[in-house]
Amino acid sequence: PESSARLAIEPGNIGVKDSGELRRLLVSLNQKQDDYAKSMILHSITRCVYLLESEASACTYEDIRQVASALDDKDKGIKIQALNALKAFAGIRKFKIKIQEFVPKILELVTTIWDTELHIAGLRLLNGLPLPDHTHPLLRRMIPSLMEILQTGSTLTQVQVLKLLSSLAQKEDLLYDIMNCQVHPDFLNLFHASLPGNLLYEVLVFVEKLSEGRLTPQYQSVHWEYNELSLHEALFGEDSHLADRLLSLIIHPEEEVQIQACKVILSLQLCKEEEAKFSRQRIDCSYFDEDDNP
């Protein structure tokens, strides 16, 4: 660990090929270590993967499995370092599919352990992975926990969970589950102009993705029932005050927040027009049905 710590801080080591450092660390990870040593080895593996690309690319699937096995360690710090190391490996194309195998375990950690550092590490890793269709049933069950993290986590955690929820909102089979998820009565406080710009931007992107999903023919073809405390009612219900919050954000000092707020306003307007058109079509259809009856 000491030699790899030097490697991590010495600029001259960047680009060094075949130092053998990463292989030595992976071998030492396989040996019995105390918690501190194991955590430091995983931290050094993360740095090596970022700094020594050729050595990292030469690693095997067995190496990935070995790192991932640390997710089951009883020590929370080791779990976090393992998530960070997997995030580094996920930047190498050939390992992305392999790391997908551990999505259920990563989701379990994120949604069952209440720790800011672990949430950030786990969510960053999930946001760097394609989430295959077979994980959707599991993700569906995790949506309430993800929504709770969004409403009570730190700003950095909220930003990461919003990125994940925005991605899930684009999955047709998960959209209703997100929309009908119960939220706190003060959910719209996430749109307060005093919040950090990066958080406001991500929450506005999330609303835009939800609004786009509502416009799809597949979603509009079903008459959905929503819980009165659902996300849908908080954002799009008749008693929602979202429009007022959006108006305060179009004069936000950060330009990307202004632009994104305008996009959401336009998207909401389009939804209203589509809903009105759909209602007129249903009225017309019922009128003709009545005429057809003797």
Side-chain angles (χ1 to χ4, degrees):
E2 288 183 10
S3 61
S4 58
R6 286 198 302 274
L7 172 75
I9 60 173
E10 291 176 10
N13 282 297
I14 296 176
V16 173
K17 294 183 180 180
D18 304 322
S19 67
E21 185 66 30
L22 183 53
R23 176 53 49 201
R24 284 193 292 273
L25 288 165
L26 288 164
V27 169
S28 63
L29 184 64
N30 208 22
Q31 298 163 355
K32 189 168 179 61
Q33 307 279 356
D34 62 37
D35 288 350
Y36 176 77
K38 193 170 183 179
S39 182
M40 288 303 297
I41 290 167
L42 285 164
H43 176 71
S44 298
I45 286 171
T46 302
R47 300 301 298 267
C48 278
V49 172
Y50 285 126
L51 293 172
L52 304 174
E53 187 178 344
S54 62
E55 288 187 39
S57 297
C59 288
T60 66
Y61 293 134
E62 187 55 44
D63 295 326
I64 301 298
R65 196 175 296 114
Q66 183 185 343
V67 170
S69 69
L71 296 176
D72 292 317
D73 198 281
K74 65 183 186 303
D75 184 83
K76 185 175 63 181
I78 289 174
K79 294 178 191 290
I80 292 167
Q81 293 300 338
L83 289 167
N84 290 336
L86 289 172
K87 171 70 167 65
F89 274 115
I92 299 170
R93 183 182 298 177
K94 75 173 188 176
F95 294 131
K96 274 189 186 291
I97 301 299
K98 180 64 181 174
I99 296 172
Q100 279 181 359
E101 291 179 21
F102 309 107
V103 165
K105 182 65 184 178
I106 299 161
L107 278 168
E108 179 197 334
L109 293 177
V110 168
T111 55
T112 59
I113 300 175
W114 201 262
D115 179 84
T116 297
E117 199 177 347
L118 187 141
H119 282 168
I120 293 169
L123 290 165
R124 283 178 69 240
L125 175 52
L126 289 169
N127 285 327
L129 294 173
L131 299 173
D133 290 349
H134 68 78
T135 63
H136 287 193
L138 177 60
L139 285 161
R140 184 176 292 111
R141 294 196 298 274
M142 300 297 187
I143 284 168
S145 297
L146 294 173
M147 203 67 71
E148 187 64 23
I149 292 170
L150 168 60
Q151 294 169 97
T152 57
S154 68
T155 299
L156 287 175
T157 309
Q158 289 173 312
V159 167
Q160 290 300 324
V161 81
L162 279 166
K163 288 180 177 181
L164 179 58
L165 287 169
S166 293
S167 174
L168 300 184
Q170 296 172 69
K171 311 293 185 184
E172 186 183 322
D173 58 329
L174 296 177
L175 182 58
Y176 173 71
D177 297 276
I178 296 173
M179 291 276 213
N180 199 41
C181 186
Q182 188 167 321
V183 296
H184 298 181
D186 61 354
F187 183 83
L188 291 185
N189 285 351
L190 284 170
F191 297 82
H192 199 283
S194 64
L195 292 174
N198 61 335
L199 174 57
L200 289 170
Y201 174 78
E202 292 298 342
V203 78
L204 289 167
V205 168
F206 178 45
V207 176
E208 184 187 19
K209 298 304 178 191
L210 292 172
S211 191
E212 287 174 353
R214 293 168 71 217
L215 277 171
T216 60
Q218 299 94 322
Y219 200 78
Q220 289 196 336
S221 66
V222 178
H223 179 67
W224 302 103
E225 297 286 341
Y226 300 103
N227 183 304
E228 63 179 13
L229 299 176
S230 67
L231 176 65
H232 178 276
E233 293 305 292
L235 295 175
F236 310 119
E238 289 183 7
D239 297 326
S240 174
H241 296 287
L242 177 61
D244 299 332
R245 299 300 177 100
L246 292 172
L247 288 173
S248 70
L249 294 181
I250 60 175
I251 56 171
H252 192 273
E254 295 186 35
E255 187 179 10
E256 68 171 9
V257 174
Q258 293 178 23
I259 293 170
Q260 194 58 41
C262 290
K263 284 183 178 180
V264 173
I265 290 170
L266 290 173
S267 181
L268 293 177
Q269 185 60 40
L270 189 57
C271 274
K272 282 187 178 179
E273 292 171 3
E274 287 294 316
E275 285 172 356
K277 185 168 70 175
F278 192 65
S279 295
R280 285 196 300 272
Q281 287 173 346
R282 281 193 297 186
I283 291 169
D284 291 344
C285 286
S286 63
Y287 174 78
F288 285 119
D289 287 342
E290 289 172 7
D291 283 354
D292 290 342
N293 291 328

